[in-house]
């Protein structure tokens, strides 16, 4: 399979923009977008990723967990024998997430979580930390997740709480986006909200569409591909390398979200910088993931 | 927001976390609602060792709910004594009244509207339509 050129629709930042990154930047290029697309976004997010599902299911009964950046709460449905408090920056997504008994969901920033330190047995933060727009803020975000967890009983013990972190990978040349080593890591990724009256057109095209792994719908995370194309209306991005704008029809609206694409080893580096230890890590379908634990007090 | 959640919430402001008075958050002008839920005895048993009982009692008192017993129930307290006539070895144990009370308080009693106040800095976090919002204004981050 030949690699696909980077999506021309994905704009890279200028030096000027880099300087302005931070809280305000994320408010405009991440938070407000999710607030706008919450309902549509949520309808495309219901299939748990296998590694996350496994992590949640292997937690002992009665464990206390945090799902930082829980979105619509799709991971709150995986294990009802533990208690998870989900949190998300988007009120609209949090409202959807509160429907998952016996768990709970609150609105909060990953950088200012309203939880006691060292109180949680486990945490997950799935497709969240790549939305923070400076290296310092990403490392701080990892630190904030690790702070929630029980410390190990001794500096070398393995019994501390564990956090599973997922971020989008730079190395995903097999995906429709086609990014790979050497590409710009700070990108704006479009989300296209289809307007009305797409039904007939969609059905007609379905037959000659060819899906492949990682074939994004202008969305990014893999889960979009796995179970939701029928929900997405599929209009955008169904031919490789074709940009959303080309498929855009009257009534469609494009939102751009900021992402930092992680290169190999970068997530582990951030975890170390944040005072954590990497227990396990890997790559799965366009994403880097790691299980981290806080280092004991020395 | 169910009251169990309050057991794991403190002030979002970093400098407050080291202060014991930031936990628990204190409900103010709270409007409560009961959201019926199936009682999961195993879940209650499992969650029991994690409850900060004294703080939970404070919150329950502040909400004007019936006062909780001074000491935390044990696991055994949550199971109804099996009647001698029934051979209940194969069936699941039944929840006791204590378990039902605890389920009512922790899981079914929810703050629908109101505020949660930090006992250290006094910051108020709003609860609207059952969702608590801990986003801080820029100058407090």
């Amino acid at each position: 399979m030949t690699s696909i050129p980077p999506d021309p629709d994905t704009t890279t930042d200028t030096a000027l923009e880099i300087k302005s990154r931070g809280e305000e930047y994320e408010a405009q290029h991440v938070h407000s977008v999710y607030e706008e697309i919450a309902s549509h976004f949520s309808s495309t997010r219901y299939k748990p990723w296998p590694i996350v599902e496994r992590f949640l299911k292997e937690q002992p009964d009665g464990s206390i967990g945090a799902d930082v950046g829980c979105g619509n709460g799709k991971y709150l449905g995986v294990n009802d024998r533990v208690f998870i408090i989900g949190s998300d920056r988007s009120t609209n997504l949090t409202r959807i997430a509160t429907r998952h008994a016996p768990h709970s969901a609150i609105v909060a920033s990953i950088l200012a979580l309203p939880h006691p330190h060292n109180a949680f047995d486990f945490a997950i933060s799935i497709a969240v930390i790549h939305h923070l727009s400076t290296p310092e803020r990403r490392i701080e975000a990892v630190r904030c997740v690790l702070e929630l967890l029980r410390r190990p009983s001794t500096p070398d013990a393995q019994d501390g709480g564990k956090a599973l972190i997922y971020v989008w990978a730079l190395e995903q040349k097999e995906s429709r986006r086609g990014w790979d080593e050497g590409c710009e890591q700070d990108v704006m990724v479009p989300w296209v909200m289809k307007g009305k009256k797409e039904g007939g057109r969609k059905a007609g095209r379905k037959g000659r569409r060819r899906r492949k792994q990682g074939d994004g719908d202008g969305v990014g995370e893999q889960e979009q591909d796995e179970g939701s194309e029928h929900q997405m209306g599929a209009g955008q991005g169904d031919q490789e390398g074709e940009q959303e704008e080309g498929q855009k029809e009257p009534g469609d609206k494009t939102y751009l979200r900021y992402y930092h694409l992680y290169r190999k080893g970068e997530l582990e580096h951030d975890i170390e910088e944040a005072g954590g230890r990497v227990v396990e890590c890997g790559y799965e379908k366009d994403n880097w993931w790691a299980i981290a634990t806080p280092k004991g007090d020395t | 927001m169910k009251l169990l959640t309050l057991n794991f919430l403190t002030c979002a402001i970093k400098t407050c976390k080291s202060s014991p008075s930031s936990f628990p958050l204190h409900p103010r002008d709270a409007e409560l609602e009961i959201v019926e839920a199936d009682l999961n005895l195993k879940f209650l048993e499992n969650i029991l060792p994690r409850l900060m009982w004294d703080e939970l009692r404070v919150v329950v008192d502040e909400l004007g709910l019936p006062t909780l017993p001074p000491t935390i129930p044990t696991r055994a307290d949550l199971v109804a004594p099996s009647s001698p006539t029934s051979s209940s070895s194969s069936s699941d144990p039944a929840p006791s009244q204590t378990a039902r009370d605890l389920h009512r308080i922790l899981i079914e009693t929810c703050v629908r509207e109101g505020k949660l106040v930090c006992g250290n800095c006094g910051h108020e976090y709003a609860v609207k339509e059952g969702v608590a919002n801990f986003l801080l204004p820029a100058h407090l981050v």
Side-chain angles (χ1 to χ4, degrees):
Chain A
M1 171 141 340
T2 55
S3 71
I4 304 143
D7 196 322
D9 193 33
T10 306
T11 55
T12 57
D13 283 339
T14 63
L16 190 71
E17 270 189 54
I18 292 169
K19 265 197 209 159
S20 69
R21 286 207 201 121
E23 172 77 29
E24 289 284 310
Y25 183 87
E26 290 154 21
Q28 184 185 349
H29 296 293
V30 180
H31 308 152
S32 67
V33 177
Y34 277 108
E35 203 68 355
E36 289 283 329
I37 69 176
S39 164
H40 181 220
F41 177 82
S42 177
S43 73
T44 67
R45 293 290 186 280
Y46 54 84
K47 185 168 178 176
W49 296 358
I51 290 174
V52 185
E53 191 171 9
R54 190 197 71 195
F55 179 81
L56 290 173
K57 284 186 169 164
E58 69 191 18
Q59 300 302 324
D61 291 359
S63 297
I64 308 298
D67 182 352
V68 182
C70 66
N72 67 350
K74 77 172 182 175
Y75 289 112
L76 300 180
V78 171
N79 186 348
D80 63 4
R81 299 179 313 279
V82 299
F83 178 61
I84 302 176
I85 300 183
S87 56
D88 201 277
R89 190 67 183 61
S90 162
T91 306
N92 289 340
L93 285 172
T94 302
R95 218 171 263 143
I96 301 169
T98 56
R99 295 169 195 165
H100 297 273
H103 309 292
S104 210
I106 57 169
V107 177
S109 160
I110 189 170
L111 297 179
L113 290 166
H115 300 303
H117 289 173
N118 316 330
F120 289 75
D121 301 303
F122 68 95
I124 61 172
S125 189
I126 309 301
V128 176
I129 291 172
H130 54 212
H131 282 312
L132 288 128
S133 58
T134 68
E136 296 75 22
R137 289 170 69 81
R138 288 189 288 275
I139 290 165
E140 180 61 17
V142 175
R143 185 177 293 120
C144 288
V145 172
L146 291 174
E147 277 173 349
L148 303 178
L149 301 173
R150 281 187 290 102
R151 309 273 119 185
S153 51
T154 66
D156 294 323
Q158 298 289 313
D159 56 358
K162 303 217 169 28
L164 172 61
I165 298 173
Y166 254 78
V167 289
W168 216 10
L170 176 65
E171 299 85 351
Q172 48 169 303
K173 65 178 181 221
E174 298 298 316
S175 80
R176 194 188 70 77
R177 300 259 157 222
W179 294 309
D180 201 2
E181 207 181 326
C183 289
E184 170 63 40
Q185 286 183 262
D186 296 284
V187 298
M188 303 301 285
V189 179
W191 177 280
V192 179
M193 288 245 262
K194 301 303 291 179
K196 298 291 175 203
K197 56 180 183 185
E198 61 173 327
R201 180 177 62 84
K202 176 177 76 179
R205 271 214 306 232
K206 199 102 174 175
R208 42 189 181 87
R209 294 185 57 209
R210 185 172 64 84
R211 304 290 301 187
K212 66 184 191 62
Q213 192 180 75
D215 191 22
D217 283 305
V219 179
E221 296 100 340
Q222 62 161 75
E223 63 222 71
Q224 184 87 32
D225 316 312
E226 290 185 341
S228 62
E229 64 179 288
H230 58 288
Q231 292 233 359
M232 268 303 282
Q236 59 274 34
D238 59 355
Q239 289 167 39
E240 290 171 19
E242 188 166 355
Q243 58 173 306
E244 281 72 9
E245 296 304 320
Q247 302 253 334
K248 221 178 123 177
E249 312 227 336
D252 293 355
K253 191 165 181 195
T254 302
Y255 297 88
L256 293 175
R257 289 167 300 162
Y258 168 86
Y259 277 83
H260 175 79
L261 304 170
Y262 273 70
R263 60 176 194 278
K264 188 178 198 294
E266 191 176 354
L267 177 59
E268 294 91 315
H269 169 268
D270 283 5
I271 288 167
E272 292 286 335
E273 284 290 307
R277 190 206 320 264
V278 177
V279 178
E280 202 183 337
C281 58
Y283 177 90
E284 195 209 19
K285 282 193 184 172
D286 309 334
N287 289 273
W288 294 109
W289 61 271
I291 296 174
T293 191
K295 283 184 184 159
D297 299 321
T298 48
Chain B
M1 189 194 64
K2 55 183 78 72
L3 295 193
L4 176 59
T5 315
L6 279 174
N7 194 71
F8 303 99
L9 290 179
T10 181
C11 190
I13 297 169
K14 281 187 175 23
T15 49
C16 282
K17 294 197 189 195
S18 52
S19 162
S21 57
S22 68
F23 180 84
L25 297 173
H26 304 280
R28 187 177 293 167
D29 306 330
E31 180 191 313
L32 299 179
E33 65 177 340
I34 297 292
V35 179
E36 304 264 348
D38 292 336
L39 190 153
N40 182 337
L41 186 57
K42 266 272 169 287
F43 182 82
L44 284 181
E45 288 175 346
N46 287 332
I47 220 83
L48 203 57
R50 306 306 291 268
L51 296 179
M52 308 291 277
W53 190 253
D54 292 342
E55 288 82 355
L56 187 64
R57 291 184 79 230
V58 169
V59 169
V60 164
D61 279 344
E62 288 175 351
L63 288 169
L65 296 165
T67 302
L68 294 173
T71 54
I72 187 166
T74 64
R75 232 179 142 90
D77 293 336
L78 298 183
V79 182
S82 53
S83 78
T85 51
S86 69
S87 57
S88 59
S89 57
S90 60
S91 63
D92 289 334
S96 65
Q97 187 59 46
T98 304
R100 283 198 290 271
D101 291 346
L102 205 57
H103 174 71
R104 190 69 162 183
I105 285 290
L106 293 178
I107 309 292
E108 293 190 322
T109 306
C110 298
V111 180
R112 178 158 180 84
E113 300 285 333
K115 294 165 192 153
L116 300 171
V117 185
C118 173
N120 190 52
C121 70
H123 191 77
E124 297 179 345
Y125 299 96
V127 183
K128 287 181 183 155
E129 294 173 44
V131 178
N133 188 323
F134 290 91
L135 297 179
L136 295 168
H139 70 278
L140 288 176
V141 177

